[in-house]
Amino acid sequence: MHELSITRSVVDICMENAGGRRVCSVTIEIGALSGVAPESIRFCFDACTKGTPLENALLLIEQVAASGRCRQCNSEFPVKTCYDPCPGCGGVGMDLITGDELRVKGLTVA
Ligand SMILES: [Zn+2]
């Protein structure tokens, strides 16, 4: 399962950063277009943290809205999919600026 391995790597990153201390809370950022369902991460988190310093830690998920930049006119606009046309010029080529994030933003340790 995709989300399970993602959650495992999130837990690994947190354990490295915590250096053996007990983790109280973890904040992760999930982009709207990352393809990762926050509720699945939440579901896997309990299983992945059992017996680790992260057990019972509070999981805070921040969802990041997607935005892109048009390759033709360089304007920035909110996007719902990677294939949205530019609202300014109608161009179809754009680069994602935000929305594909999946990262540990921060954690608090005891
Ligand atoms: Zn454009």
Side-chain angles (χ1 to χ4, degrees):
M1 192 176 156
H2 188 52
E3 270 84 3
L4 189 58
S5 58
I6 291 171
T7 309
R8 278 209 186 105
S9 58
V10 165
V11 171
D12 283 347
I13 291 167
C14 292
M15 290 208 299
E16 267 173 39
N17 282 291
R21 284 167 296 176
R22 183 143 205 93
V23 176
C24 303
S25 73
V26 179
T27 306
I28 60 172
E29 277 187 333
I30 299 179
L33 297 181
S34 65
V36 176
E39 55 272 25
S40 305
I41 299 288
R42 208 175 272 289
F43 180 77
C44 297
F45 190 75
D46 282 346
C48 289
T49 54
K50 237 182 192 17
T52 75
L54 276 81
E55 191 168 5
N56 297 322
L58 188 65
L59 177 64
L60 303 164
I61 295 177
E62 291 183 3
Q63 287 188 267
V64 182
S67 62
R69 183 184 290 114
C70 176
R71 283 181 195 156
Q72 285 168 50
C73 70
N74 225 30
S75 64
E76 292 178 16
F77 54 95
V79 294
K80 288 196 173 61
T81 75
C82 293
Y83 312 105
D84 280 9
C86 169
C89 72
V92 287
M94 60 96 172
D95 297 307
L96 266 191
I97 304 169
T98 61
D100 59 353
E101 294 82 356
L102 182 76
R103 63 186 194 98
V104 178
K105 195 182 176 194
L107 72 168
T108 57
V109 293

XYZ file of all heavy atoms in Angstrom:
804
model
N 0.840 -1.202 0.000
C 0.000 0.000 0.000
C 0.871 1.246 0.000
O 1.780 1.405 0.804
C -0.905 -0.039 1.234
C -2.002 0.985 1.215
S -3.018 0.712 2.687
C -3.728 2.320 2.869
N 0.562 2.138 -0.917
C 1.303 3.368 -1.138
C 1.442 4.208 0.137
O 2.533 4.578 0.546
C 0.560 4.148 -2.218
C 1.267 5.346 -2.713
N 2.572 5.314 -3.169
C 0.864 6.633 -2.836
C 2.918 6.535 -3.542
N 1.914 7.341 -3.355
N 0.300 4.474 0.760
C 0.303 5.357 1.927
C 1.075 4.767 3.106
O 1.627 5.505 3.909
C -1.135 5.665 2.375
C -1.732 6.885 1.729
C -2.327 6.573 0.365
O -2.315 5.386 -0.025
O -2.784 7.511 -0.313
N 1.097 3.447 3.163
C 1.795 2.802 4.274
C 3.296 3.070 4.190
O 3.943 3.408 5.175
C 1.510 1.296 4.264
C 1.983 0.517 5.489
C 1.360 1.055 6.767
C 1.638 -0.962 5.340
N 3.870 2.944 2.989
C 5.306 3.179 2.859
C 5.632 4.669 3.048
O 6.679 5.013 3.585
C 5.832 2.671 1.514
O 5.146 3.292 0.464
N 4.716 5.524 2.609
C 4.919 6.965 2.830
C 4.924 7.270 4.324
O 5.794 7.977 4.830
C 3.806 7.777 2.137
C 3.972 7.686 0.621
C 3.828 9.232 2.593
C 2.814 8.257 -0.152
N 3.951 6.702 5.020
C 3.858 6.948 6.452
C 5.092 6.422 7.172
O 5.617 7.069 8.077
C 2.581 6.290 7.030
O 1.461 6.682 6.243
C 2.362 6.715 8.462
N 5.579 5.247 6.715
C 6.791 4.695 7.319
C 7.966 5.650 7.163
O 8.753 5.847 8.079
C 7.143 3.355 6.668
C 6.346 2.226 7.255
C 7.108 0.910 7.198
N 6.229 -0.171 7.643
C 5.665 -1.048 6.815
N 5.917 -0.999 5.537
N 4.892 -1.979 7.287
N 8.109 6.236 5.966
C 9.246 7.124 5.768
C 9.078 8.418 6.567
O 10.056 8.984 7.049
C 9.487 7.408 4.279
O 8.346 7.967 3.694
N 7.831 8.858 6.739
C 7.575 10.028 7.597
C 8.017 9.718 9.029
O 8.701 10.515 9.669
C 6.071 10.411 7.565
C 5.713 11.357 8.709
C 5.710 11.047 6.232
N 7.660 8.538 9.497
C 8.023 8.130 10.852
C 9.548 8.039 10.986
O 10.130 8.475 11.984
C 7.346 6.787 11.220
C 7.894 6.233 12.535
C 5.835 6.963 11.310
N 10.208 7.498 9.953
C 11.672 7.400 9.970
C 12.329 8.773 10.091
O 13.257 8.967 10.874
C 12.178 6.717 8.690
C 11.971 5.209 8.744
O 11.677 4.693 9.844
O 12.102 4.551 7.700
N 11.829 9.711 9.285
C 12.379 11.070 9.306
C 12.219 11.688 10.697
O 13.143 12.298 11.234
C 11.670 11.956 8.245
C 12.056 11.485 6.840
C 12.024 13.431 8.432
C 11.189 12.073 5.733
N 11.051 11.479 11.276
C 10.778 12.033 12.602
C 11.686 11.424 13.662
O 12.197 12.129 14.531
C 9.326 11.792 12.990
S 8.161 12.728 11.998
N 11.914 10.114 13.563
C 12.761 9.462 14.562
C 14.199 9.950 14.463
O 14.870 10.157 15.466
C 12.694 7.942 14.393
C 11.325 7.423 14.799
S 11.320 5.731 15.403
C 11.896 4.816 14.045
N 14.665 10.164 13.228
C 16.005 10.710 13.034
C 16.124 12.077 13.684
O 17.092 12.380 14.372
C 16.302 10.856 11.533
C 17.009 9.664 10.938
C 17.128 9.787 9.427
O 17.385 10.908 8.952
O 16.941 8.758 8.742
N 15.127 12.913 13.428
C 15.164 14.276 13.956
C 14.989 14.328 15.462
O 15.509 15.225 16.112
C 14.094 15.125 13.272
C 14.511 15.566 11.883
O 15.414 16.371 11.715
N 13.871 15.006 10.878
N 14.249 13.388 16.003
C 13.979 13.394 17.436
C 15.170 12.860 18.226
O 15.317 13.154 19.409
C 12.741 12.571 17.742
N 16.030 12.099 17.567
C 17.232 11.585 18.223
C 16.928 10.779 19.470
O 17.608 10.912 20.486
N 15.897 9.947 19.423
C 15.593 9.055 20.533
C 14.651 9.644 21.563
O 14.183 8.942 22.452
N 14.397 10.960 21.449
C 13.450 11.561 22.397
C 12.022 11.244 21.995
O 11.744 10.912 20.853
C 13.658 13.086 22.445
C 14.886 13.500 23.230
C 15.197 14.963 22.963
N 15.541 15.180 21.561
C 15.787 16.377 21.035
N 15.712 17.444 21.776
N 16.116 16.499 19.759
N 11.137 11.373 22.950
C 9.725 11.100 22.712
C 9.121 12.234 21.873
O 9.323 13.399 22.162
C 9.022 10.983 24.066
C 7.587 10.632 23.967
C 7.157 9.677 25.106
N 5.989 8.931 24.639
C 6.077 7.747 24.042
N 7.232 7.174 23.906
N 4.996 7.151 23.587
N 8.396 11.858 20.833
C 7.778 12.858 19.962
C 6.342 13.125 20.411
O 5.560 12.196 20.611
C 7.793 12.382 18.493
C 7.070 13.377 17.597
C 9.236 12.187 18.018
N 6.021 14.411 20.610
C 4.673 14.780 21.064
C 3.738 15.044 19.893
O 2.571 14.677 19.931
C 4.720 16.035 21.936
S 5.787 15.877 23.345
N 4.260 15.723 18.886
C 3.406 16.003 17.742
C 4.233 16.120 16.467
O 5.416 16.460 16.506
C 2.595 17.286 17.966
O 3.429 18.411 17.856
N 3.606 15.813 15.365
C 4.248 15.857 14.060
C 3.342 16.663 13.127
O 2.135 16.448 13.103
C 4.416 14.440 13.467
C 5.068 14.510 12.096
C 5.198 13.543 14.396
N 3.942 17.587 12.382
C 3.172 18.328 11.392
C 3.672 17.957 10.005
O 4.874 18.057 9.729
C 3.336 19.853 11.589
O 3.017 20.178 12.938
C 2.422 20.623 10.643
N 2.786 17.492 9.158
C 3.187 17.202 7.786
C 2.339 18.005 6.807
O 1.184 18.337 7.087
C 3.122 15.692 7.456
C 1.712 15.138 7.635
C 4.082 14.896 8.298
C 1.600 13.697 7.133
N 2.967 18.329 5.692
C 2.285 19.056 4.627
C 1.956 18.096 3.499
O 2.818 17.355 3.044
C 3.204 20.147 4.064
C 3.201 21.423 4.854
C 3.995 22.503 4.144
O 4.918 22.187 3.382
O 3.689 23.677 4.374
N 0.716 18.135 3.055
C 0.309 17.289 1.937
C -0.319 18.171 0.859
O -1.305 18.869 1.114
C -0.691 16.207 2.393
C -0.056 15.287 3.432
C -1.161 15.394 1.191
C -0.980 14.207 3.961
N 0.276 18.169 -0.310
C -0.249 18.961 -1.416
C -1.508 18.352 -1.991
O -1.679 17.129 -1.990
N -2.372 19.225 -2.522
C -3.646 18.769 -3.078
C -3.442 17.820 -4.257
O -4.288 16.976 -4.535
C -4.482 19.966 -3.507
N -2.313 17.940 -4.956
C -2.064 17.089 -6.123
C -0.994 16.027 -5.859
O -0.456 15.435 -6.779
C -1.639 17.946 -7.329
C -2.683 18.946 -7.852
C -2.138 19.693 -9.042
C -3.974 18.236 -8.225
N -0.675 15.802 -4.598
C 0.372 14.826 -4.276
C -0.115 13.404 -4.485
O 0.685 12.468 -4.543
C 0.832 15.008 -2.828
O -0.233 14.705 -1.951
N -1.432 13.225 -4.600
C -1.976 11.894 -4.779
C -2.057 11.111 -3.489
O -2.330 9.918 -3.502
N -1.812 11.792 -2.386
C -1.845 11.134 -1.088
C -3.067 11.595 -0.315
O -3.332 12.786 -0.204
C -0.570 11.466 -0.284
C -0.646 10.871 1.104
C 0.655 10.959 -1.020
N -3.826 10.638 0.184
C -5.023 10.969 0.948
C -4.663 11.149 2.419
O -4.149 10.218 3.040
C -6.067 9.876 0.789
N -4.913 12.343 2.963
C -4.558 12.611 4.366
C -5.168 11.601 5.335
O -4.524 11.189 6.295
C -5.129 14.016 4.612
C -5.204 14.639 3.268
C -5.476 13.523 2.306
N -6.403 11.181 5.063
C -7.037 10.253 5.994
C -6.342 8.887 5.986
O -6.333 8.185 6.987
C -8.545 10.121 5.730
C -8.938 9.733 4.333
C -9.113 10.944 3.402
O -8.517 12.008 3.658
O -9.814 10.804 2.414
N -5.755 8.523 4.836
C -5.015 7.259 4.787
C -3.732 7.349 5.603
O -3.349 6.398 6.283
C -4.637 6.915 3.345
O -5.785 6.903 2.546
N -3.071 8.497 5.530
C -1.863 8.706 6.330
C -2.204 8.623 7.813
O -1.514 7.983 8.596
C -1.238 10.092 6.017
C -0.842 10.194 4.539
C -0.056 10.376 6.938
C 0.353 9.381 4.150
N -3.299 9.271 8.155
C -3.744 9.262 9.547
C -4.024 7.830 10.013
O -3.668 7.439 11.112
C -5.016 10.111 9.655
C -5.228 10.740 10.997
C -6.431 11.652 10.967
N -6.115 13.007 10.546
C -5.426 13.877 11.280
N -4.965 13.529 12.458
N -5.180 15.093 10.843
N -4.631 7.072 9.111
C -4.972 5.686 9.419
C -3.710 4.847 9.638
O -3.610 4.053 10.555
C -5.810 5.109 8.269
C -6.224 3.688 8.477
C -7.267 3.378 9.334
C -5.567 2.663 7.817
C -7.656 2.060 9.535
C -5.951 1.337 8.020
C -6.988 1.041 8.871
N -2.710 5.054 8.765
C -1.475 4.270 8.845
C -0.591 4.710 10.008
O 0.226 3.935 10.502
C -0.667 4.419 7.548
S -1.512 3.782 6.093
N -0.746 5.961 10.410
C 0.152 6.544 11.397
C 0.156 5.761 12.707
O 1.216 5.482 13.269
C -0.232 8.011 11.636
C 0.760 8.784 12.464
C 1.957 9.202 11.916
C 0.479 9.083 13.787
C 2.868 9.913 12.678
C 1.384 9.799 14.562
C 2.580 10.214 14.002
N -1.028 5.396 13.173
C -1.120 4.652 14.428
C -0.368 3.331 14.356
O 0.370 2.968 15.267
C -2.590 4.379 14.781
C -3.271 5.604 15.370
O -2.542 6.542 15.747
O -4.501 5.616 15.441
N -0.550 2.625 13.232
C 0.104 1.324 13.067
C 1.621 1.485 12.963
O 2.378 0.688 13.519
C -0.438 0.625 11.824
N 2.057 2.523 12.243
C 3.483 2.719 11.996
C 4.237 3.225 13.224
O 5.456 3.124 13.288
C 3.701 3.701 10.849
S 3.265 3.027 9.248
N 3.523 3.829 14.168
C 4.217 4.435 15.302
C 4.203 3.553 16.544
O 4.854 3.877 17.531
C 3.567 5.787 15.679
O 2.175 5.585 15.896
C 3.769 6.814 14.582
N 3.481 2.446 16.452
C 3.412 1.547 17.611
C 4.797 1.075 18.015
O 5.562 0.616 17.180
C 2.533 0.349 17.273
C 1.390 0.240 18.261
C 0.506 -0.943 18.016
C -0.788 -0.872 18.817
N -1.150 0.423 19.370
N 5.127 1.241 19.301
C 6.418 0.781 19.788
C 7.582 1.686 19.436
O 8.733 1.330 19.669
N 7.310 2.840 18.833
C 8.361 3.803 18.499
C 8.210 5.025 19.414
O 7.201 5.177 20.095
C 8.255 4.276 17.038
O 7.152 5.191 16.934
C 8.020 3.117 16.086
N 9.211 5.929 19.391
C 9.090 7.167 20.189
C 7.936 8.054 19.719
O 7.640 9.064 20.334
C 10.436 7.863 19.960
C 11.371 6.782 19.533
C 10.530 5.810 18.765
N 7.317 7.675 18.602
C 6.206 8.482 18.085
C 4.845 7.958 18.526
O 3.816 8.529 18.153
C 6.218 8.503 16.553
C 7.132 9.532 15.876
C 8.552 9.033 15.833
C 6.652 9.845 14.478
N 4.854 6.884 19.284
C 3.577 6.313 19.676
C 2.741 7.341 20.436
O 3.247 8.036 21.311
C 3.796 5.064 20.536
C 2.514 4.291 20.739
C 2.747 2.894 21.328
O 3.903 2.568 21.659
O 1.761 2.154 21.461
N 1.482 7.464 20.049
C 0.528 8.418 20.635
C 0.833 9.873 20.328
O 0.230 10.778 20.908
C 0.417 8.244 22.154
C -0.122 6.870 22.526
O -1.000 6.351 21.837
N 0.419 6.278 23.574
N 1.777 10.122 19.439
C 2.038 11.506 19.037
C 0.837 12.052 18.267
O 0.119 11.309 17.597
C 3.291 11.582 18.176
N 0.662 13.357 18.378
C -0.434 14.020 17.671
C -0.003 14.265 16.228
O 1.068 14.824 15.983
C -0.724 15.345 18.375
C -1.947 16.136 17.932
C -3.230 15.370 18.246
C -1.952 17.482 18.646
N -0.820 13.825 15.293
C -0.489 14.035 13.879
C -1.283 15.223 13.340
O -2.510 15.211 13.330
C -0.826 12.771 13.077
C -0.586 12.869 11.565
C 0.894 13.063 11.253
C -1.120 11.632 10.857
N -0.557 16.248 12.913
C -1.200 17.438 12.349
C -0.930 17.459 10.856
O 0.217 17.396 10.421
C -0.635 18.706 12.999
C -0.760 18.752 14.528
C 0.141 19.825 15.114
C -2.202 19.005 14.925
N -1.990 17.519 10.083
C -1.843 17.500 8.630
C -2.270 18.849 8.062
O -3.376 19.321 8.324
C -2.690 16.368 8.004
C -2.150 15.018 8.468
C -2.675 16.467 6.490
C -2.949 13.822 7.968
N -1.361 19.477 7.331
C -1.693 20.730 6.663
C -1.806 20.468 5.174
O -0.862 20.006 4.537
C -0.599 21.779 6.915
C -0.562 22.231 8.353
C 0.468 23.319 8.586
O 1.114 23.764 7.616
O 0.628 23.707 9.755
N -2.958 20.750 4.628
C -3.141 20.535 3.201
C -2.773 21.802 2.438
O -3.146 22.902 2.829
C -4.574 20.105 2.911
C -4.818 18.677 3.358
C -6.167 18.153 2.924
O -7.137 18.232 3.657
N -6.220 17.619 1.731
N -2.012 21.619 1.374
C -1.528 22.742 0.588
C -2.286 22.783 -0.731
O -2.320 21.802 -1.469
C -0.011 22.588 0.313
C 0.512 23.793 -0.460
C 0.751 22.421 1.621
N -2.901 23.933 -1.009
C -3.637 24.084 -2.267
C -2.642 24.125 -3.428
O -1.499 24.557 -3.267
C -4.467 25.354 -2.234
N -3.072 23.682 -4.583
C -2.186 23.645 -5.740
C -2.230 24.957 -6.514
O -3.271 25.586 -6.657
C -2.587 22.499 -6.658
N -1.044 25.369 -6.989
C -0.984 26.533 -7.874
C 0.074 26.269 -8.932
O 1.006 25.498 -8.729
C -0.668 27.808 -7.080
O 0.597 27.704 -6.467
N -0.100 26.915 -10.072
C 0.829 26.695 -11.170
C 1.248 27.999 -11.831
O 0.648 29.053 -11.592
N 2.303 27.921 -12.664
C 2.753 29.079 -13.413
C 2.738 28.733 -14.894
O 3.305 27.729 -15.332
C 4.161 29.491 -12.991
C 4.642 30.767 -13.707
C 6.079 31.135 -13.376
N 6.210 31.596 -11.995
C 6.890 30.945 -11.050
N 7.510 29.820 -11.325
N 6.961 31.417 -9.832
N 2.069 29.582 -15.670
C 1.944 29.365 -17.102
C 3.302 29.512 -17.790
O 4.046 30.452 -17.520
C 0.953 30.385 -17.675
S 0.800 30.284 -19.463
N 3.632 28.566 -18.661
C 4.917 28.617 -19.368
C 4.914 29.655 -20.476
O 5.972 30.040 -20.975
C 5.234 27.253 -19.968
C 5.721 26.266 -18.922
C 6.064 24.923 -19.533
N 6.189 23.921 -18.465
C 6.027 22.620 -18.657
N 5.728 22.147 -19.837
N 6.159 21.786 -17.659
N 3.727 30.063 -20.884
C 3.659 31.017 -21.982
C 3.614 32.461 -21.511
O 4.364 33.303 -21.977
C 2.443 30.707 -22.866
C 2.719 29.476 -23.735
C 1.454 28.959 -24.409
O 0.730 29.723 -25.019
N 1.217 27.669 -24.280
N 2.713 32.768 -20.557
C 2.594 34.168 -20.134
C 3.138 34.390 -18.730
O 3.149 35.508 -18.238
C 1.148 34.645 -20.238
S 0.059 33.906 -19.009
N 3.583 33.305 -18.078
C 4.244 33.423 -16.779
C 3.323 33.839 -15.629
O 3.805 34.195 -14.568
C 5.420 34.402 -16.868
C 6.646 33.828 -16.167
O 6.830 32.603 -16.117
N 7.492 34.682 -15.632
N 2.025 33.820 -15.841
C 1.132 34.190 -14.737
C 0.912 32.993 -13.827
O 1.009 31.844 -14.260
C -0.194 34.718 -15.281
O -0.871 33.702 -15.980
N 0.620 33.293 -12.563
C 0.387 32.235 -11.583
C -1.104 32.138 -11.301
O -1.793 33.144 -11.237
C 1.137 32.548 -10.291
C 2.637 32.467 -10.470
C 3.391 32.829 -9.191
O 2.770 32.847 -8.124
O 4.595 33.101 -9.306
N -1.571 30.908 -11.127
C -3.006 30.715 -10.909
C -3.244 29.431 -10.129
O -2.413 28.517 -10.161
C -3.750 30.686 -12.253
C -3.199 29.674 -13.240
C -3.753 28.411 -13.338
C -2.130 30.006 -14.071
C -3.246 27.487 -14.237
C -1.614 29.082 -14.969
C -2.177 27.814 -15.056
N -4.386 29.380 -9.400
C -4.711 28.148 -8.671
C -5.128 27.050 -9.640
O -5.804 27.339 -10.635
C -5.881 28.561 -7.767
C -6.480 29.758 -8.417
C -5.386 30.433 -9.197
N -4.728 25.825 -9.373
C -5.083 24.724 -10.265
C -5.745 23.584 -9.492
O -5.491 23.397 -8.309
C -3.841 24.173 -11.020
C -3.286 25.204 -11.961
C -2.779 23.696 -10.056
N -6.589 22.871 -10.197
C -7.238 21.699 -9.607
C -6.605 20.417 -10.129
O -6.549 19.416 -9.444
C -8.729 21.714 -9.909
C -9.471 22.777 -9.111
C -10.981 22.497 -9.130
C -11.738 23.429 -8.199
N -11.571 24.839 -8.591
N -6.123 20.450 -11.367
C -5.414 19.307 -11.926
C -4.173 19.824 -12.652
O -4.052 21.027 -12.909
C -6.271 18.528 -12.958
O -6.319 19.292 -14.171
C -7.677 18.288 -12.460
N -3.279 18.902 -12.992
C -2.043 19.282 -13.692
C -2.326 19.719 -15.127
O -1.431 20.201 -15.815
C -1.071 18.113 -13.723
S -0.450 17.685 -12.104
N -3.550 19.544 -15.588
C -3.845 19.799 -16.997
C -4.729 21.018 -17.186
O -5.280 21.232 -18.255
C -4.514 18.559 -17.615
C -3.758 17.294 -17.283
C -4.241 16.404 -16.350
C -2.529 17.029 -17.888
C -3.528 15.257 -16.009
C -1.811 15.893 -17.561
C -2.309 15.012 -16.626
O -1.604 13.894 -16.294
N -4.882 21.803 -16.117
C -5.687 23.013 -16.236
C -5.060 23.982 -17.240
O -3.859 24.221 -17.198
C -5.773 23.727 -14.873
C -6.800 23.085 -13.952
O -7.315 22.010 -14.305
O -7.075 23.666 -12.895
N -5.883 24.563 -18.124
C -5.355 25.613 -18.998
C -5.176 26.907 -18.219
O -5.827 27.130 -17.205
C -6.439 25.761 -20.073
C -7.689 25.286 -19.420
C -7.289 24.245 -18.404
N -4.286 27.765 -18.700
C -4.048 29.058 -18.062
C -5.293 29.936 -18.218
O -5.810 30.087 -19.328
C -2.843 29.719 -18.721
S -2.611 31.437 -18.254
N -5.769 30.538 -17.110
C -6.946 31.403 -17.214
C -6.639 32.722 -17.940
O -7.541 33.393 -18.436
C -7.335 31.665 -15.757
C -6.111 31.401 -14.967
C -5.301 30.389 -15.727
N -5.357 33.072 -18.018
C -4.984 34.318 -18.661
C -4.910 34.201 -20.174
O -5.549 34.945 -20.918
N -4.144 33.206 -20.671
C -3.907 33.107 -22.108
C -4.456 31.818 -22.709
O -4.420 31.626 -23.915
C -2.400 33.223 -22.397
S -1.465 31.767 -21.885
N -4.965 30.915 -21.877
C -5.516 29.672 -22.386
C -4.472 28.614 -22.702
O -4.798 27.541 -23.194
N -3.212 28.913 -22.417
C -2.132 27.965 -22.677
C -2.255 26.736 -21.791
O -2.772 26.813 -20.684
N -1.798 25.581 -22.279
C -1.963 24.358 -21.506
C -0.685 23.912 -20.792
O -0.731 23.004 -19.979
C -2.489 23.187 -22.366
C -3.952 23.392 -22.699
C -1.656 23.017 -23.607
N 0.455 24.544 -21.077
C 1.688 24.135 -20.411
C 1.913 24.959 -19.159
O 1.924 26.182 -19.203
N 2.032 24.302 -18.019
C 2.349 25.061 -16.801
C 3.190 24.208 -15.859
O 3.224 22.985 -15.956
C 1.070 25.551 -16.129
C 0.131 24.463 -15.709
S 0.332 23.996 -13.977
C -1.063 22.898 -13.774
N 3.901 24.891 -14.986
C 4.698 24.218 -13.973
C 4.022 24.376 -12.627
O 3.577 25.458 -12.272
C 6.099 24.841 -13.902
C 6.860 24.655 -15.206
O 6.956 23.500 -15.658
O 7.345 25.655 -15.750
N 3.967 23.292 -11.894
C 3.394 23.356 -10.560
C 4.310 24.150 -9.637
O 5.516 23.937 -9.611
C 3.241 21.950 -9.989
C 1.919 21.205 -10.138
C 1.958 19.975 -9.250
C 0.731 22.072 -9.797
N 3.743 25.074 -8.906
C 4.522 25.813 -7.899
C 4.301 25.157 -6.538
O 5.240 24.887 -5.799
C 4.089 27.290 -7.828
C 4.211 27.958 -9.199
C 4.938 28.043 -6.805
C 3.554 29.316 -9.247
N 3.038 24.924 -6.233
C 2.713 24.212 -4.992
C 1.666 23.149 -5.310
O 1.011 23.213 -6.344
C 2.115 25.159 -3.917
O 0.906 25.727 -4.439
C 3.085 26.260 -3.530
N 1.530 22.184 -4.425
C 0.480 21.197 -4.590
C 0.989 19.764 -4.625
O 0.224 18.836 -4.447
N 2.315 19.573 -4.854
C 2.821 18.200 -4.866
C 3.659 17.901 -3.619
O 4.427 16.951 -3.594
C 3.620 17.918 -6.149
C 4.810 18.846 -6.305
O 4.946 19.792 -5.492
O 5.617 18.617 -7.224
N 3.496 18.745 -2.589
C 4.265 18.557 -1.366
C 3.895 17.268 -0.633
O 2.744 16.863 -0.622
C 4.029 19.704 -0.368
C 4.507 21.052 -0.777
C 3.530 21.771 -1.681
O 2.505 21.168 -2.039
O 3.822 22.906 -2.025
N 4.879 16.682 -0.067
C 4.637 15.656 0.945
C 5.876 15.682 1.813
O 6.895 15.095 1.485
C 4.435 14.270 0.334
C 4.151 13.266 1.443
C 2.736 13.385 1.961
C 4.430 11.862 1.016
N 5.789 16.425 2.892
C 6.990 16.553 3.713
C 6.662 16.775 5.172
O 5.572 17.217 5.528
C 7.865 17.685 3.192
C 7.218 19.040 3.269
C 8.090 20.101 2.598
N 7.628 21.430 2.949
C 8.159 22.175 3.910
N 9.169 21.729 4.612
N 7.675 23.372 4.188
N 7.654 16.446 5.984
C 7.533 16.693 7.402
C 7.898 18.153 7.625
O 9.004 18.585 7.340
C 8.487 15.782 8.214
C 8.384 16.088 9.704
C 8.162 14.319 7.954
N 6.945 18.902 8.134
C 7.167 20.339 8.327
C 7.815 20.611 9.679
O 8.641 21.505 9.801
C 5.828 21.067 8.216
C 5.964 22.557 8.038
C 4.586 23.196 7.974
C 4.687 24.711 7.888
N 3.376 25.319 8.152
N 7.426 19.846 10.651
C 8.009 20.067 11.965
C 7.547 19.030 12.965
O 6.615 18.270 12.695
N 8.254 18.976 14.070
C 7.814 18.082 15.133
C 8.225 18.651 16.470
O 9.161 19.443 16.561
C 8.349 16.654 14.937
C 9.812 16.350 15.157
C 10.032 14.860 15.205
C 10.675 16.947 14.075
N 7.471 18.285 17.493
C 7.836 18.703 18.852
C 8.205 17.462 19.641
O 7.602 16.394 19.475
C 6.662 19.426 19.552
O 5.534 18.570 19.566
C 6.302 20.715 18.813
N 9.246 17.594 20.445
C 9.692 16.469 21.267
C 9.537 16.801 22.732
O 9.491 17.975 23.120
C 11.176 16.112 20.962
C 11.318 15.565 19.562
C 12.076 17.310 21.165
N 9.438 15.761 23.531
C 9.244 15.951 24.960
C 10.521 16.470 25.608
O 11.618 16.152 25.150
C 8.816 14.648 25.615
Zn -0.833 31.945 -19.676
